[in-house]
Amino acid sequence: MLESDLLYEQGYSVSINTPADSLFYYFDYDERSHNINMEFQHFHDFYEIHILLDSRATHIIEGSVHALKQYDIVLLSPFRLHKTQYPVGPPHKRLIINFAMPKDTPGFETAYNNMFLSFGEEVPIYRLNNGPRRAVFEPLNKIFTLSHDASPLNPVLIHSLFQQFLCALYQQRDKNCYVLEEIGNSMMQKIYSISAYIHSHYSGELSLDSISRDFYISPYYLSHQFKAVTGFTLTEYIQMIRIRNAQQLLIYSRLKVSVIAGQCGFNSFSQFNRVFNKLSGMSPSEFRKQMASSGSASTLLSY
């Protein structure tokens, strides 16, 4: 094994606390294959890091598709819609890290804000070579090694090492050599462009006819191709994005439900209420109350 490689053990995991806690970690060392690709894009209320340990895969983030190579690091902030796709063939190894940590420690605010800057980038993917990658992976390898030994100090040590990992990532940000690559045929590229457009324009008027006109494609062909590429009809996808954003506003703002409905692109409250119930299993008001009482967004719409 080279010094810049990442230690790995199939089926191994490390966990500290649960997603309902303000501080938690879950390291999942495993493999995935094409036949168990996630069917839908999904999101959650904690941070996620995906590190590919095999040759290649693709990652869809907010409707945009990105090619991954070995040791690429995908950084996903909470509520960022995403999905990993693995190619046909043998299973691919990967490390998934789910985590949350308080960022309001007095005196640490500026440092923490910088430590998390990479997660907010338009393309939150890092590709590092040799020395920079070794510096970033070293704390993760230390976590892997010490987690195999039972010690009451492990939670504190893992938390400290993981912060070192995030700091190293920030320090090596100018060494990031990830470049966007075109994936699939021109029609697939157009569908991904349309899905990305929906993510940034969900609050406005969106319809099959208007999107077809803006992207110079017939409504019938768009409808067919969008379903084939994304697994959703165009209407389902628009509704999912609007409800996802409504859920965030219900949790993190005090706006009236009717105002949220309008800000998320719904022309009537009754339509918003009906679609929200369908996708969330409860009314917007019930959702807000449940999130407030539980202190967790673990029941967020997940695809």
Side-chain angles (χ1 to χ4, degrees), residues 26-281:
Y26 182 66
F27 296 76
D28 180 24
Y29 299 82
D30 211 342
E31 58 183 27
R32 290 290 183 270
S33 59
H34 176 78
N35 63 346
I36 53 174
N37 274 332
M38 298 178 220
E39 186 177 359
F40 302 120
Q41 297 181 64
H42 68 287
F43 67 95
H44 27 67
D45 60 330
F46 45 77
Y47 287 90
E48 179 170 298
I49 297 174
H50 176 285
I51 304 177
L52 182 67
L53 303 182
D54 262 311
S55 56
R56 63 189 178 91
T58 57
H59 210 94
I60 302 170
I61 306 173
E62 300 288 1
S64 298
V65 63
H66 307 281
L68 300 182
K69 294 182 179 179
Q70 187 179 42
Y71 296 131
D72 282 354
I73 305 169
V74 182
L75 306 166
L76 299 163
S77 56
F79 309 111
R80 202 157 194 181
L81 200 66
H82 62 277
K83 169 186 175 181
T84 309
Q85 291 182 320
Y86 297 94
V88 175
H92 280 55
K93 298 179 179 66
R94 89 290 184 273
L95 168 61
I96 299 288
I97 306 171
N98 296 326
F99 75 97
M101 68 173 70
K103 293 184 284 185
D104 55 357
T105 304
F108 285 32
E109 295 91 347
T110 299
Y112 269 69
N113 286 338
N114 282 284
M115 195 167 70
F116 281 86
L117 279 178
S118 303
F119 290 86
E121 295 180 9
E122 183 177 354
V123 181
I125 302 175
Y126 273 48
R127 179 174 294 165
L128 302 169
N129 296 315
N130 303 321
R133 188 170 74 214
R134 182 168 58 251
V136 168
F137 282 175
E138 183 180 6
L140 294 181
N141 283 338
K142 288 182 178 178
I143 289 173
F144 179 87
T145 300
L146 75 85
S147 68
H148 282 75
D149 298 321
S151 167
L153 296 178
N154 273 1
V156 174
L157 293 172
I158 289 172
H159 180 49
S160 175
L161 286 166
F162 190 75
Q163 290 177 96
Q164 291 179 40
F165 160 71
L166 292 179
C167 288
L169 201 60
Y170 173 79
Q171 292 167 337
Q172 301 297 332
R173 65 193 184 284
D174 60 334
K175 306 296 194 307
N176 183 11
C177 59
Y178 182 81
V179 292
L180 289 171
E181 302 174 22
E182 287 196 359
I183 299 176
N185 54 37
S186 59
M187 178 51 63
M188 182 177 290
Q189 286 292 322
K190 179 164 285 192
I191 295 301
Y192 284 128
S193 296
I194 290 171
S195 63
Y197 177 84
I198 292 170
H199 280 271
S200 58
H201 294 80
Y202 66 89
S203 61
E205 286 290 332
L206 292 174
S207 67
L208 178 62
D209 288 338
S210 66
I211 293 175
S212 298
R213 183 173 59 253
D214 291 343
F215 283 85
Y216 305 100
I217 180 174
S218 77
Y220 173 80
Y221 197 56
L222 170 57
S223 179
H224 176 74
Q225 291 297 322
F226 197 90
K227 173 74 173 180
V229 172
T230 69
F232 297 98
T233 68
L234 185 69
T235 298
E236 288 171 342
Y237 196 85
I238 292 171
Q239 289 180 343
M240 180 183 69
I241 300 308
R242 286 173 168 168
I243 295 301
R244 183 203 68 153
N245 283 279
Q247 289 176 328
Q248 293 184 62
L249 289 173
L250 286 166
I251 296 170
Y252 297 109
S253 81
R254 296 185 177 182
L255 294 172
K256 293 182 178 179
V257 175
S258 58
V259 174
I260 290 175
Q263 288 191 2
C264 291
F266 289 92
N267 294 322
S268 72
F269 180 75
S270 60
Q271 181 199 28
F272 171 63
N273 201 50
R274 176 175 52 80
V275 175
F276 195 99
N277 265 286
K278 177 183 176 183
L279 296 181
S280 304

